[in-house]
Amino acid sequence: LKKKKKSLKSVYWFRRYLLCVWKDNKKKSALFEVAEVIPVMTNNYEETILKGVRDSTYSLESSIELLQKDVVQLHAPRYQSMRRDVIGCTQEMDFILWPRNDIEKIVCLLFSRWKGSDDEPFRPVQAKFEFHHGDYEKQFLHVLSRKDKAGIVMNNPSQSMFLFIDRQHLQTPKNKATVFKLCSICLYLPQDQLTHWGVGTIEDHLHPYTLE
């Protein structure tokens, strides 16, 4: 790979799923399939990430350290519903995250396989991608008072998951309400973890979340 000046992300196919886990444990989690996983190398989005650093709760030092690592970014701007009773169609990610209080956490499941191995199944990458409601709500409250219209980027405490947020203003009969919508999710994964595969197929891992 070094001789060919290739990165590991260029020899993999990726599949990724997005779960919205509700606080009401009787309610089945909302499951979405990412329409296309876009892998890029670190620093391609350095300006955007650092812009989010200036107005968020994590430190500049930790973000610079992260950007200097040999990391693959896995972007997901489009998705579709996985519910069998809903006709799924691919759409731009447009999911209201705030204000609402029914979400416990957002989870991403990542699967991969070598390119050219069409007969091989996708295997689960052993990495944890979770963003709890309490962690992103603190950041929403922090940026709520800002007047600028700069892009909003926020990350979970482990800095493995970045949310790209769109701020919108809705006019209600009494006042103007601010709504934060999720428009893209970026996963950060060190390249050496791309080969840390677990057991089971995609179907095995999604079964608890799909309708019978």
Side-chain angles (χ1 to χ4, degrees):
L1 290 174
K2 288 182 179 178
K3 289 181 180 179
K4 295 181 179 180
K5 295 183 179 180
K6 284 187 177 181
S7 62
L8 286 178
K9 64 98 177 175
S10 66
V11 293
Y12 287 99
W13 289 117
F14 294 100
R15 295 207 31 202
R16 187 168 133 194
Y17 298 85
L18 170 65
L19 279 167
C20 182
V21 181
W22 310 108
K23 289 182 178 179
D24 181 358
N25 54 22
K26 295 180 181 178
K27 187 177 178 182
K28 187 175 289 290
S29 302
L31 176 62
F32 303 91
E33 181 177 7
V34 172
E36 180 185 10
V37 179
I38 305 173
V40 297
M41 292 308 301
T42 309
N43 298 327
N44 291 32
Y45 283 74
E46 182 174 1
E47 183 179 348
T48 304
I49 296 297
L50 293 181
K51 183 186 294 183
V53 169
R54 291 196 295 268
D55 301 302
S56 296
T57 57
Y58 51 96
S59 69
L60 176 63
E61 291 76 15
S62 65
S63 297
I64 289 179
E65 180 183 352
L66 182 67
L67 288 166
Q68 290 173 342
K69 291 180 180 178
D70 196 15
V71 169
V72 175
Q73 296 179 16
L74 300 166
H75 289 262
R78 298 186 301 136
Y79 64 176
Q80 63 185 23
S81 175
M82 290 288 291
R83 288 180 55 181
R84 294 175 184 173
D85 60 341
V86 175
I87 299 176
C89 60
T90 300
Q91 60 185 5
E92 299 297 316
M93 202 168 284
D94 184 21
F95 188 82
I96 295 177
L97 281 183
W98 194 91
R100 62 187 302 169
N101 198 38
D102 57 344
I103 299 174
E104 178 186 340
K105 60 183 177 180
I106 298 171
V107 179
C108 283
L109 303 175
L110 180 66
F111 301 84
S112 67
R113 73 180 183 196
W114 295 108
K115 286 186 175 179
S117 59
D118 295 342
D119 295 332
E120 295 294 325
F122 281 87
R123 292 185 283 177
V125 176
Q126 290 186 301
K128 191 174 183 179
F129 305 105
E130 293 188 355
F131 210 147
H132 286 261
H133 174 268
D135 292 323
Y136 64 71
E137 184 178 51
K138 292 176 185 176
Q139 297 180 56
F140 280 137
L141 294 174
H142 178 74
V143 301
L144 192 60
S145 59
R146 284 167 36 194
K147 301 295 184 181
D148 65 286
K149 297 182 179 180
I152 301 171
V153 184
M154 50 187 60
N155 69 288
N156 62 349
S158 64
Q159 298 195 36
S160 63
M161 191 170 171
F162 286 76
L163 306 182
F164 288 72
I165 304 298
D166 181 29
R167 183 208 304 255
Q168 295 184 2
H169 300 290
L170 301 180
Q171 186 66 50
T172 67
K174 294 184 178 180
N175 54 22
K176 182 182 289 186
T178 299
V179 173
F180 291 109
K181 287 189 174 184
L182 174 65
C183 56
S184 183
I185 298 179
C186 174
L187 304 185
Y188 263 44
L189 185 68
Q191 285 205 49
D192 60 3
Q193 291 187 26
L194 285 172
T195 52
H196 290 187
W197 282 306
V199 296
T201 64
I202 291 179
E203 290 72 21
D204 294 335
H205 288 268
L206 296 187
H207 180 71
Y209 310 106
T210 54
L211 294 177
E212 296 297 334

